[in-house]
Amino acid sequence: DKAGHRHFMAKEIAEQPSRLTTALNHYLAEDGTFRLPGQGLDFRAMDRLTMVACGTASYACLVAKYWFEQIAGLPVDVDVASEFRYREPPIPPRTAALFVSQSGETADTLAALRYCRDKAATILSVVNVAESSIARESDLALPILAGPEIGVASTKAFSCQLVVLALLALEAGRQRGHMDEATHAERLAALRSIPGLVNHALGLSEASDRVAAKLAEARDILFLGRGRMYPLALEGALKLKEISYIHAEAYASGELKHGPIALVDKSVPVIVMAPHDELFDKTVSNMQEVMARGGQVLLVTDREGANVAAHGVWEMLVLPDVAALWAPILYAVPAQLLAYHTAIAKGTDVDQPRNLAKSVTVE
Ligand code: F6R
């Protein structure tokens, strides 16, 4: 049931405010305490967190790496499951292993989990399907409560994964004494405001549609982001190529001059994901390098960013202000909308893109 939407993907994008609220309410008690099933989790007993996933779920892990390291001072490594499983990575004691999967059945992710079984101190998972193999084989499985996701391109599962990982990072930071009470409360309040902001961001659908008419003509598209927005650039590029079949690549903004800038000319739209945060000026100078070579920049930013960096850009999508830490959750929405509308403009099968399966149960 598409609930009046043209595609499941559109429905699932639109559902995000309510799904995110459900996930937040599931893990937070009235007074803001974090609730976990069973014995809970002792983040002080961990020296390292190893996160493993595939595709979009691996980008959620990459965002979470920035969070765990900054908020909790907990070192994190992130791997795609197909690489992790065959590398025989050493798992030092006091390492927790965390697997993120919408379906909970992805063959490579499950194999990576089994590899960690007798090596990691604890096996955690963040899943959408609570009865899945990955959930069953974990010491602690945390549901994201996104509800069934039908569109092959993951949307609401990604944002719900991010919210659950954000809550975990906050809890880790609190337990490890890495932030004071006031900072914790402030960050938690900011996280609770995300569903409302996501609801606002859905209003960018029309503007995305307008921009998409031009994106649909491109052969190649670049995405740039810095810091916690780098994984969002990766997600934007993956989403776009999956459903519009346009070749899209993402780079950390700072990597531009180490190679990819050679691709830039006036036929290559460059989508820059950049809220006005502590790294904004650096991203803007990368953006100027692109524009100096004729690149058409689409800047996805907030009001302040739009005020100071509008000069010379081709188009802007302006999002509401958001705490810099949680911006990746909000900026997932324009990444999804751009892919969706570009696919529509190209006339592709949005919910069932060619060559892709919703659940990849063979390696
Ligand atoms: C992208 C997408 C895939 C999945 C990947 C992992 O839109 O849907 O990249 O994220 O196949 O699937 P799960 O999360 O089920 O393990």
Side-chain angles (χ1 to χ4, degrees):
D1 179 15
K2 295 177 193 151
H5 292 276
R6 196 166 150 198
H7 299 97
F8 282 109
M9 184 177 178
K11 170 182 176 252
E12 289 160 4
I13 290 173
E15 268 175 0
Q16 290 176 108
S18 73
R19 297 302 178 177
L20 294 170
T21 303
T22 303
L24 284 166
N25 290 343
H26 178 81
Y27 288 102
L28 293 172
E30 288 282 299
D31 63 354
T33 355
F34 183 60
R35 287 187 298 210
L36 272 178
Q39 314 287 20
L41 262 177
D42 183 1
F43 284 100
R44 281 156 310 186
M46 294 175 200
D47 288 342
R48 171 163 289 275
L49 181 63
T50 289
M51 301 180 78
V52 183
C54 299
T56 285
S58 77
Y59 299 149
C61 295
L62 272 183
V63 173
K65 174 183 169 79
Y66 288 84
W67 288 337
F68 278 106
E69 295 191 349
Q70 185 188 345
I71 302 173
L74 182 62
V76 172
D77 34 43
V78 177
D79 237 309
V80 290
S82 54
E83 286 301 312
F84 180 88
R85 64 179 290 195
Y86 293 117
R87 210 176 55 230
E88 297 180 33
I91 312 283
R94 296 170 59 89
T95 298
L98 171 54
F99 301 87
V100 179
S101 175
Q102 187 284 129
S103 63
E105 300 296 345
T106 300
D108 280 324
T109 310
L110 182 58
L113 181 154
R114 289 178 177 156
Y115 172 83
C116 291
R117 174 65 18 240
D118 299 316
K119 303 182 184 75
T122 180
I123 306 243
L124 312 171
S125 61
V126 168
V127 292
N128 197 27
V129 182
E131 316 75 40
S132 59
S133 307
I134 289 175
R136 273 187 278 111
E137 296 191 26
S138 306
D139 299 322
L140 182 64
L142 305 174
I144 60 169
L145 305 151
E149 193 180 61
I150 310 293
V152 164
S154 187
T155 53
K156 61 176 180 171
F158 178 66
S159 53
C160 288
Q161 284 161 355
L162 288 179
V163 155
V164 173
L165 292 167
L167 287 168
L168 279 178
L170 274 180
E171 175 64 8
R174 196 191 58 78
Q175 285 186 15
R176 292 164 65 87
H178 204 74
M179 60 187 153
D180 57 37
E181 277 299 321
T183 307
H184 178 262
E186 193 186 306
R187 287 173 170 171
L188 187 60
L191 187 59
R192 280 185 185 272
S193 73
I194 288 291
L197 297 175
V198 165
N199 197 39
H200 271 268
L202 294 174
L204 288 174
S205 190
E206 243 168 70
S208 306
D209 190 37
R210 187 185 67 234
V211 173
K214 170 117 180 234
L215 293 179
E217 291 166 10
R219 205 191 57 177
D220 308 287
I221 297 179
L222 292 179
F223 282 77
L224 297 179
R226 211 178 248 275
R228 31 182 126 71
M229 299 311 291
Y230 167 46
L232 261 287
L234 292 164
E235 170 63 2
L238 178 65
K239 215 94 298 176
L240 189 74
K241 69 187 136 197
E242 277 186 293
I243 61 170
S244 76
Y245 314 146
I246 296 173
H247 171 239
E249 291 295 333
Y251 291 95
S253 309
E255 277 291 292
L256 193 65
K257 55 168 75 65
H258 299 287
I261 198 159
L263 297 172
V264 173
D265 66 23
K266 63 182 185 326
S267 71
V268 182
V270 180
I271 302 177
V272 181
M273 313 277 278
H276 192 267
D277 61 13
E278 70 282 9
L279 299 172
F280 186 73
D281 294 346
K282 298 197 181 299
T283 304
V284 167
S285 77
N286 301 132
M287 201 172 90
Q288 279 155 352
E289 290 156 10
V290 166
M291 295 190 298
R293 285 154 187 87
Q296 306 288 304
V297 169
L298 165 58
L299 176 60
V300 184
T301 187
D302 48 28
R303 243 174 333 152
E304 186 56 19
N307 280 341
V308 300
H311 186 71
V313 306
W314 158 53
E315 275 280 6
M316 289 198 294
L317 293 180
V318 182
L319 286 150
D321 290 344
V322 56
L325 206 50
W326 310 133
I329 313 176
L330 184 62
Y331 282 61
V333 175
Q336 297 161 355
L337 290 174
L338 286 170
Y340 178 71
H341 289 289
T342 305
I344 302 250
K346 295 213 63 170
T348 53
D349 186 343
V350 171
D351 283 333
Q352 289 284 338
R354 67 186 184 199
N355 309 343
L356 295 174
K358 182 65 186 162
S359 182
V360 185
T361 52
V362 290
E363 72 170 291

